[in-house]
Amino acid sequence: MRRTPRDSAESVRKISRRGLILGGAQLGFAGILGLRMRFMQVDQADEFRLLAEENRINIRLIPPSRGQIFDRNGVVIAENAPSYRITMVREDAGNVEDVIARLSTLVELDEDELNRALTEMDRSAPFLPITVADRVSWEDISRVAVNAPALPGVTPEVGLSRFYPHHETFAHVVGYVGPVSERDLARYEDPEPVLRIPRFQIGKVGVEAKYEEQLRGDAGAKRVEVNAVGRVMRELDRREGDAGTDIQLTLDSGLQEYCKARLGQESASCVVMDLEHGDILAIASSPSYDPNKFVRGISVADYSVLRDNNHRPLASKTVQDAYPPGSTFKMICALAALESGIMSADDTAYCPGHLEVGSRRFHCWKRAGHGWVNLEESIRESCDVYYYELALKVGIERIAEMARRLGLGEAPDVPMSAVTAGLVPDKEWKLRERGASWLIGDSVNASIGQGFVLSSPLQQAIMTARIATGRNIGPRLVKRIDGVDTPSRGGESMGMNENHLRQVRKAMHAVSNNRRGTGYRSRIVSEGYEMAGKSGTSQVRNQVVRNEDVPWEQRDHALFVNFAPYNNPRIAVSVVVEHGGGGSAAAAPINRDVTLQALYGGTPPLEAYPSADRSRIKAQQERFAREREERLSNASSRA
Amino acid sequence: MSYLEYTVKTVPAGFRKVLYLNWPLVILLTAVAGVGFLMLYSVAGGSFSPWAEPQMKRYVLGLIAMFVVAMVPIWFWRNMAVVAYIVSVLLLVVVEFFGAVGMGAQRWIDLGFMRLQPSELMKVTMVMLLAAYYDWLPIKKTSRPLWVLLPVVLILLPTGLVLTQPDLGTALLLIIGGGLMMFIAGVHWAYFGMVIAAGSGFVAMVFRSRGTDWQMLKDYQFRRIDTFLDPSSDPLGAGYHITQAKIAMGSGGWTGRGFMQGTQSRLNFLPEKHTDFIFNTLAEEFGFVGAVSLLILYVLILVFCIFSALQNRDRFSSLLTLGIGLTFFLFFAVNMSMVMGLAPVVGVPLPLVSYGGSAMLVLMVAFGLVQSAHIHRPR
């Protein structure tokens, strides 16, 4: 069919018109596209550039290395030891199962940890290294390194982890670190980003926790370029962080080791204080635990063993537990009486073995009675009735005030966890806390450190130190921090009459050195080293039964405090043996041994001991030396 | 239908035809394809494999196809229009059939050396058919209802097949392309007014259908529309792509971050960076200057088509050339709108630049038709 010329012209005209309209519309739309490009790439370019940079640049924190902890002589207590682990990258490994199988012939792989690692590997990006074995030995690492060609994707890695080379010895003082938990994060309003680094460790208890800020240091940072799935392409720049501050404690690791060994398997605690600056030379709680187990995350089984032990290894008994001070409280009563002027050292009381107060009869520990006793004899032989009479005359308020002056009733200022204030009761306290008025019997009980009175072993040591020096000496646990000495806690004179103090000290000397003294059997015989002490027995039960006849949990706590040397006091020692029975029998020998060890700065000569004890002490010293050697050889094989 | 109406004597014959090719158009096409090779080389991290090299081979193949098609007289292609259309529809059905049997939403047929997408072919053969139809139809009848209905059916048939694949982007291009072909051919304005009114009603109904039993779009299609309207509503899901694409685009600035320096594409933040979103890589690495340059190349190709069509007194040639120009325009306009956040992400490649065999080959064949019309125009 051939079109007429008119038709053709019509066709061309129409197509031209419509074609131009459409062409114009197309060009117009292209113009809009061009404007859009201009808007995005010119006007909004800076915003988009910023977004692109945010996409590609990640800031990664570099964990700071934690400050170390040393003892007073520079012996390391807490350090950062290299810890080896084996990681695996899925995409490099190829056949994961094959590689794992080959790896397990070289290194012992923990079944649970391996399963956890495999699930983690499945879930995370293929280029991320996943830890398949943690805390492996150097030998394992070298075996893996040597066989690297057969183990694609497997890398031995080294990191720093907290290590406590003395294991159990400092556990209760220094505490331990552990991975940051949700609870730790919740404690901070705005947690530092460094806390979110995987595996980052912070102090959980003890000095590690109390000095967390100083020990932690400041994190460094590096800027890395990442791709869309988070793989690091390259490092752009980095700023190294600042390592944490080193801390030197006042502790003497040798003495601390000795205390721990001497306490043995008893549920007991021991504090040794230096009397010049108030330095705590040793503060041991027994039994103990290995803080290294907590660093790596303690197993449920290990933890329940610790938790269910009735000797409470986890408890820091020196500061956290408060006991009735028993007869060690008598020095406080005596000083209160002397300082108030109500009694003098020569005043006597008659002890028939008991005292009637109101309708109640209070017994002396010695049923037969002590007869007429003066102050020195009352302390030397620990006569209870003397103090019943004293309390009736002096009153609880003066006794409580003296107790507070000597450091009881307030938490000692030491950077340890769960430090107890103990309890110094008075009339106001009883009304407030118990809603009852003070009874005369309460005063009588308090006079021999029973009833409501509570104090911790550390407070006992502080009390003894203050009596020995006349100064309000305080405990100092941190000697140097960041190379700067901390101020001395030697304290100033408490303003007590020196005569009164001397009379009490003389009485304490008699406890240890007079034939009739309760601590005579545990005396020191070497000249110039004599100790002055006081025993205490704090009742756990009410009925009067011999300790040997009741189960362990119901036996009395044995306490003993002392300072030495008597003529020139250098140290104060406080020992509590839980359920140990009488203080003079169970605790005093420990005081004596620890005192000698501290004064001699090592194993004392046998001549320092009464001749009757020497053969037994010799055997004990040999045993400790043997155990110490075993421990050292174990430690070196473990490291 | 006969070639008698052409003044055969004035049409170049033999190898002289080569001289009558629209050479500027060939150069423009090669320039655009060259941009594509450059970007494919860049997104592969500075490597010819896996994308740039096959793309270059296909372009050479496409160029040969274009020359072959251009040498064949345009009246032959007009006579082939119906056959081409029927073959395309059949191929769509075959794809649908095999898709139903085996591989889910299969959009291509494996020819061994390449994968042919019948839906791509359809875009051109439908333009051919409509041009031939309006060439055949007496002009007076153009706006008669019955003669309007027939091309509508011819448009909706392949559109429906494409929709079931499902490929919403191609379906939309087919409808818009076909409708505009009818517009060029001179169908009365009133029809378009009605269609736009009805279309608006239909769109409203589609949205109303959401969440009901007779839901007309797939959930993912609705979500794409949501995401288009507000990309920040889903920054890590579907909105992630468009957000990252816009960041890539915008961060280019005036002159871009430099060849192979685009962080968004190099670090894989940019999705589909070798196909649908390749324009963002260009915009990131060469900035506003590079992006607008490509846009200008496209517009020049379009302008060449329009000029060629308006100079051509043959109705079929004019309609065909305008239609192919239009198809080309729809390709790059929809793709650019999409990657710049002006339109929902529907999966339309950037013509001659995005990696992909069918689209490139089909477009080159289409430009072969344009060249044939140009060479064989009545003089």
Side-chain angles (χ1 to χ4, degrees), chain A residues 11-69:
Chain A
S11 157
V12 169
R13 202 170 51 81
K14 196 140 211 171
I15 288 177
S16 297
R17 206 173 66 197
R18 294 263 171 124
L20 281 173
I21 291 171
L22 192 67
Q26 287 172 341
L27 292 183
F29 194 84
I32 292 173
L33 291 178
L35 286 177
R36 173 75 175 173
M37 286 173 200
R38 202 195 125 79
F39 176 64
M40 285 177 75
Q41 298 195 275
V42 178
D43 299 347
Q44 289 188 313
D46 291 344
E47 291 163 42
F48 281 121
R49 176 64 68 94
L50 191 68
L51 288 171
E53 296 296 279
E54 274 176 17
N55 263 347
R56 90 181 165 104
I57 293 171
N58 258 3
I59 292 180
R60 301 276 162 97
L61 290 172
I62 307 170
S65 104
R66 195 174 173 84
Q68 289 179 288
I69 301 176

Side-chain angles (χ1 to χ4, degrees), chain A residues 173-251:
Chain A
V173 202
V174 172
Y176 51 83
V177 299
V180 182
S181 68
E182 284 304 313
R183 249 185 43 216
D184 295 327
L185 287 176
R187 268 190 304 161
Y188 300 97
E189 188 122 320
D190 183 22
E192 271 190 66
V194 65
L195 296 181
R196 305 218 181 250
I197 297 178
R199 296 167 174 273
F200 191 74
Q201 297 171 333
I202 61 166
K204 296 287 187 175
V205 295
V207 173
E208 292 272 29
K210 297 288 174 183
Y211 280 91
E212 171 61 26
E213 272 175 40
Q214 289 89 333
L215 288 167
R216 187 191 297 159
D218 290 321
K222 57 180 175 181
R223 295 196 314 143
V224 293
E225 186 179 79
V226 297
N227 72 0
V229 282
R231 183 202 295 266
V232 174
M233 308 305 281
R234 63 196 165 113
E235 190 176 303
L236 300 172
D237 52 29
R238 73 153 62 204
R239 178 181 59 80
E240 295 293 343
D242 297 323
T245 305
D246 287 345
I247 288 181
Q248 185 170 31
L249 300 180
T250 57
L251 297 175

